[in-house]
Amino acid sequence: MPMKKIQHFIDGEFVASESGDSFSNINPATGREFARVAEGSEIEIDRAVEAARRAFDGPWSAMTLGERLDALQRVAHGIRARFDEFLKAEMRDTGKPRSFASKVDIPRGAANFEFFANLARTVHGSSFQTETADGRGAVNYVTRQPLGVVGVISPWNLPLLLLTWKVAPALAAGNCVVVKPSEETPSTATLLGEVFKDAGVPAGVYNVVHGFGPEAAGEALTKHPDVSAITFTGETRTGSAIMKACAPQIKNISFELGGKNAAIVFADADFDAAVSGTARSSFSNTGQVCLCSERVYVERPIYERFVEAMAKRAEALTIGDPFEDATQMGPLISADHQRKVLSAFKAAVAEGAEVVTGGSIPEVDKEFAEGSFVEPTIWTGLDEDVAVMQSEVFGPICHITPFDTEEEAIALANNSRFGLCAAVWTNHVQRAHRVAHQMETGLVWVNTWFLRDLRTPFGGVKLSGIGREGGRHSLDFYSETKTICIKL
Ligand code: NAD
């Protein structure tokens, strides 16, 4: 059977690279190549940006707001109508199990379009009456205008979810987009091109260029003079490189970056809920969610029991074939990432960690022997300042530390260069508020984790990002506001 080909989607058409170059798309559960992906360069970025600009200057802006938002609703329906195709494509690219992708990735992909289409219908401006010395006064009113062409650079961990989280509000605000998906996960972004075509969205509104980041398609997008803004989700050091590339043109940027998130569990918490919530927050998506808790702090009276219960949870996880309904944990994204996570396992032990459970490669069926699997792993006994406690592992791991006082727990949780989110488990209402207010993060969950309301601002502090997206904060980023003052 000929190898499947994944192409760019530029100006409403699926196209190969002018160079003819391609790279391989590997299923991380089997380690086998299953598709060739067109490798784009500056040439394809130029074409895509030109197409986006033409669509922006022409048909997209000529449509009424209502027509544009109806088109985005049709995209949401289109994703739902092809749910299984999206699901299989995401599972093959990432190795994530059906139990996760069918509940999180694909439904949120559709929901993002629906939500922002609805929200943009209700956004309104503001006006101000101004007094003047001559008594006639003036009125100021504020309008929103789209930016033009927005560049979207997305990661591999929640490919469709994180891409649509940016594409949907960018389009709802009236922009056109050029997307550079992660080289690890090109499939659902491409499938979305078919949905846009079927939904009757004008050519050039949504463009996809595949390829790599540094000195390649990703960097070309960040440097393109006709791209007004870059919205990026990924590693902190990539954010830093993109910021440099955007600096000469003072481009608008919005960054959702890495984390080293803490969970704090007080002795007064609902014990079972705290254990199952923390296990979910450490091991979901094989630990590859930016919001995962890699550092867990537990009040001393329940510490031993908590560590034991977490280990039981980790050991009970069913690891293996992502396509099996019963599978709870798939592989990591790639053999490269598996090597990185295994080296963190080694580093933790070298720093004196006690391995409560895990720490190596699990046994899986023969068919998956070349897959990038690792065991869910729990450590105790590490010093708070060692590298593995201060940098993101992005695997199914957590370290559990005991604490004695609320102040100590807060100080431990905040001892990080990152500040994306925190989880606090307690049944004491004042403590919940007190601790949440003192977390140096953009998000705090109390007695839950990863419960999202798309109206709320999302983003991190410190090295975890710049800006907030979500609800009207997204529309703020993807629009330019303009004040018009009229003397009466
Ligand atoms: P990554 O930074 O390696 O890559 C992300 C994207 O950037 C890819 O498309 C890549 O090709 C591109 N890229 C890389 N270098 C570039 C450059 N110089 N110029 C332009 N583009 C470039 O990240 P990843 O490994 O794909 O994703 C995992 C990371 O993302 C983790 O650190 C995770 O915490 C973070 N993340 C953060 C959030 C959040 O909301 N804060 C959400 C998900 C993931």
Side-chain angles (χ1 to χ4, degrees):
M1 212 167 69
M3 185 70 73
K4 186 175 156 51
K5 285 202 174 93
I6 296 176
Q7 297 190 304
H8 311 294
F9 182 65
I10 300 175
D11 207 9
E13 300 299 332
F14 291 94
V15 293
S17 292
E18 192 179 277
S19 65
D21 289 348
S22 66
F23 60 96
S24 60
N25 190 7
I26 289 172
N27 176 346
T30 60
R32 284 195 287 272
E33 180 183 61
F34 70 94
R36 297 294 304 175
V37 189
E39 183 180 340
S41 67
E42 206 177 342
I43 298 174
E44 281 71 34
I45 290 290
D46 283 348
R47 284 189 187 151
V49 174
E50 271 167 33
R53 189 69 221 187
R54 269 198 306 278
F56 179 73
D57 290 335
W60 191 235
S61 298
M63 287 162 72
T64 64
L65 175 69
E67 286 168 343
R68 284 198 299 268
L69 300 181
D70 286 349
L72 298 186
Q73 290 282 9
R74 292 197 296 279
V75 172
H77 295 317
I79 295 173
R80 290 201 181 105
R82 301 174 71 165
F83 192 94
D84 264 9
E85 256 178 282
F86 273 97
L87 182 61
K88 284 184 184 141
E90 206 75 301
M91 286 161 67
R92 261 196 303 266
D93 273 6
T94 61
K96 57 177 77 201
R98 186 188 296 278
S99 57
F100 187 86
S102 66
K103 292 203 190 89
V104 180
D105 296 76
I106 313 305
R108 259 294 296 284
N112 284 336
F113 282 103
E114 194 143 70
F115 171 79
F116 284 108
N118 286 332
L119 182 75
R121 285 181 215 275
T122 64
V123 168
H124 51 81
S126 46
S127 67
F128 306 85
Q129 305 275 350
T130 309
E131 288 179 18
T132 57
D134 63 9
R136 281 156 58 200
V139 63
N140 289 275
Y141 67 95
V142 182
T143 61
R144 280 170 184 277
Q145 290 178 339
L147 305 171
V149 179
V150 172
V152 179
I153 302 180
S154 52
W156 45 258
N157 63 329
L158 299 161
L160 182 71
L161 187 159
L162 290 173
L163 182 131
T164 54
W165 166 244
K166 309 236 181 220
V167 168
L171 298 183
N175 304 284
C176 294
V177 295
V178 176
V179 170
K180 211 300 281 166
S182 167
E183 52 275 31
E184 306 282 359
T185 53
S187 299
T188 46
T190 313
L191 206 45
L192 193 57
E194 291 181 25
V195 170
F196 268 87
K197 232 178 154 159
D198 293 347
V201 177
V205 170
Y206 172 79
N207 304 275
V208 181
V209 177
H210 296 295
F212 297 92
E215 294 173 24
E219 190 176 320
L221 183 59
T222 61
K223 290 187 166 162
H224 200 293
D226 283 341
V227 173
S228 307
I230 293 285
T231 178
F232 166 72
T233 306
E235 283 194 40
T236 296
R237 65 181 169 169
T238 310
S240 180
I242 292 178
M243 206 168 179
K244 276 193 204 127
C246 290
Q249 295 155 22
I250 322 282
K251 276 192 197 1
N252 287 327
I253 49 167
S254 172
F255 288 171
E256 293 172 3
L257 308 176
K260 185 72 184 176
N261 310 303
I264 304 179
V265 184
F266 288 96
D268 61 27
D270 175 334
F271 184 84
D272 293 338
V275 171
S276 74
T278 307
R280 201 164 70 82
S281 75
S282 295
F283 306 133
S284 280
N285 205 37
T286 321
Q288 302 165 118
V289 181
C290 53
L291 307 164
C292 276
S293 316
E294 295 197 356
R295 298 178 298 137
V296 180
Y297 301 102
V298 181
E299 203 168 0
R300 199 169 306 268
I302 60 163
Y303 174 74
E304 300 283 339
R305 192 156 70 98
F306 189 89
V307 172
E308 221 171 89
M310 279 286 285
K312 254 198 197 143
R313 288 261 171 183
E315 286 157 14
L317 288 170
T318 309
I319 305 174
D321 184 356
F323 282 79
E324 274 292 329
D325 286 343
T327 300
Q328 292 162 303
M329 189 183 287
L332 294 167
I333 187 66
S334 64
D336 249 6
H337 193 47
Q338 184 195 37
R339 271 190 288 279
K340 254 168 73 185
V341 172
L342 290 174
S343 77
F345 284 8
K346 262 201 188 149
V349 172
E351 292 288 0
E354 186 185 321
V355 182
V356 177
T357 187
S360 55
I361 296 175
E363 272 187 30
V364 285
D365 287 349
K366 220 169 82 203
E367 194 191 338
F368 303 104
E370 298 301 314
S372 311
F373 293 89
V374 293
E375 285 178 331
T377 295
I378 299 175
W379 301 308
T380 57
L382 278 174
D383 208 39
E384 293 294 316
D385 292 321
V386 300
V388 81
M389 290 291 278
Q390 290 295 331
S391 45
E392 186 184 44
V393 174
F394 221 52
I397 62 107
C398 68
H399 178 273
I400 315 184
T401 309
F403 69 85
D404 293 299
T405 66
E406 190 177 300
E407 294 68 34
E408 186 192 357
I410 292 166
L412 286 166
N414 286 339
N415 175 24
S416 172
R417 295 169 303 146
F418 296 99
L420 186 54
C421 71
V424 181
W425 297 87
T426 177
N427 273 338
H428 188 310
V429 70
Q430 285 98 336
R431 167 176 280 157
H433 289 283
R434 212 164 44 223
V435 176
H437 279 269
Q438 291 179 78
M439 290 293 98
E440 295 169 1
T441 58
L443 295 137
V444 183
W445 277 291
V446 176
N447 296 332
T448 185
W449 176 76
F450 203 177
L451 177 60
R452 291 281 298 123
D453 181 324
L454 301 188
R455 294 169 299 180
T456 60
F458 181 95
V461 306
K462 300 183 183 172
L463 291 188
S464 292
I466 296 183
R468 296 290 179 273
E469 296 195 40
R472 69 171 181 78
H473 302 273
S474 295
L475 298 180
D476 285 346
F477 175 72
Y478 296 107
S479 316
E480 210 66 89
T481 53
K482 180 189 282 179
T483 300
I484 298 173
C485 174
I486 299 184
K487 180 82 197 294
L488 298 175

